[in-house]
Amino acid sequence: DAKTTQPPSMDCAEGRAANLPCNHSTISGNEYVYWYRQIHSQGPQYIIHGLKNNETNEMASLIITEDRKSSTLILPHATLRDTAVYYCIADYNNNDMRFGAGTRLTVKP
Amino acid sequence: EAQVTQNPRYLITVTGKKLTVTCSQNMNHEYMSWYRQDPGLGLRQIYYSMNVEVTDKGDVPEGYKVSRKEKRNFPLILESPSPNQTSLYFCASAYIPAGEQFFGPGTRLTVL
């Protein structure tokens, strides 16, 4: 079983921010929070990861709560091409990457 | 171009006929891994390798073998495939174990 829980699906209007939540209440102190996405049956694509601090890159922002029990992935200006399944994963060194079912994000015009 | 390649991309075979799915990366990554993806079950890790000659079992290793004789290659071997190994397989690599994983395009395997 995945160590994280995510809503099965979400919708977002094109151009608006998409906020994808993830619960990881049993995360241990040395485990990172990773986000990947998968478009159709293509190979998953890395988005971002973090340990304690919030992180931002050219694709997204990752907000991790102070107690590290949950996080939110933010796509600041969602486009139709962001429609995908988004996976939140808690792992230390890639040897227990449990992708789970993820959140199916649909960006609508 | 930095990439992970898998071959073949599609394969239909019969029960018991040994097969190998190759995986190669050109990024000099130490870490490589194999996953399978099935409807409703997400991606599950089969085996991973932290470096040459070092491999470890993931969540679902039964029925699979791997080898890591060279840094760039990490083949997945099915000695006696069975229909329950019909799945979509992904290879991935990373520069360090706790870093970003780069995934290959996938191999869709059907075992009849």
Side-chain angles (χ1 to χ4, degrees):
Chain A
D1 293 333
K3 293 183 282 187
T4 61
T5 55
Q6 301 175 249
S9 64
M10 292 182 64
D11 291 341
C12 177
E14 187 178 19
R16 303 295 293 271
N19 296 280
L20 291 88
C22 179
N23 287 320
H24 30 80
S25 58
T26 60
I27 195 170
S28 60
N30 59 359
E31 287 183 321
Y32 292 83
V33 178
Y34 290 88
W35 283 85
Y36 284 80
R37 72 180 183 184
Q38 187 176 26
I39 299 172
H40 298 301
S41 294
Q42 297 176 19
Q45 176 190 23
Y46 167 85
I47 301 173
I48 199 167
H49 75 285
L51 186 62
K52 295 180 182 177
N53 300 321
N54 298 337
E55 301 287 345
T56 296
N57 63 20
E58 64 278 4
M59 287 184 68
S61 295
L62 173 60
I63 309 298
I64 303 174
T65 58
E66 194 168 340
D67 63 8
R68 300 209 331 122
K69 291 185 177 182
S70 66
S71 61
T72 301
L73 178 75
I74 302 172
L75 307 178
H77 305 286
T79 71
L80 299 179
R81 287 180 294 182
D82 291 322
T83 292
V85 177
Y86 287 77
Y87 299 98
C88 169
I89 304 152
D91 188 41
Y92 168 57
N93 62 352
N94 279 330
N95 70 344
D96 194 20
M97 294 289 280
R98 302 186 182 216
F99 278 73
T103 295
R104 183 172 297 277
L105 175 69
T106 302
V107 180
K108 299 185 174 182
Chain B
E1 179 189 354
Q3 59 182 347
V4 177
T5 56
Q6 296 179 224
N7 282 292
R9 294 289 312 281
Y10 302 90
L11 179 61
I12 300 174
T13 188
V14 296
T15 299
K17 185 176 181 181
K18 180 179 179 180
L19 67 91
T20 299
V21 184
T22 64
C23 173
S24 183
Q25 50 93 5
N26 63 0
M27 295 168 278
N28 202 35
H29 286 166
E30 285 92 2
Y31 177 89
M32 297 186 74
S33 62
W34 275 103
Y35 297 85
R36 62 178 288 174
Q37 185 171 29
D38 304 289
L41 295 176
L43 280 91
R44 294 178 292 168
Q45 194 172 47
I46 303 171
Y47 270 96
Y48 65 96
S49 169
M50 293 290 193
N51 214 325
V52 175
E53 302 291 1
V54 179
T55 62
D56 281 293
K57 297 177 180 179
D59 273 344
V60 288
E62 294 78 21
Y64 303 95
K65 286 176 56 178
V66 292
S67 69
R68 188 87 183 277
K69 292 182 170 50
E70 308 165 276
K71 188 183 257 190
R72 66 182 293 124
N73 296 323
F74 190 44
L76 180 69
I77 303 156
L78 284 71
E79 295 270 5
S80 183
S82 63
N84 64 12
Q85 293 178 298
T86 292
S87 188
L88 178 59
Y89 291 87
F90 290 103
C91 179
S93 71
Y95 180 62
I96 54 174
E100 167 189 357
Q101 288 197 40
F102 293 81
F103 282 81
T107 294
R108 191 169 291 280
L109 172 66
T110 301
V111 183
L112 303 175

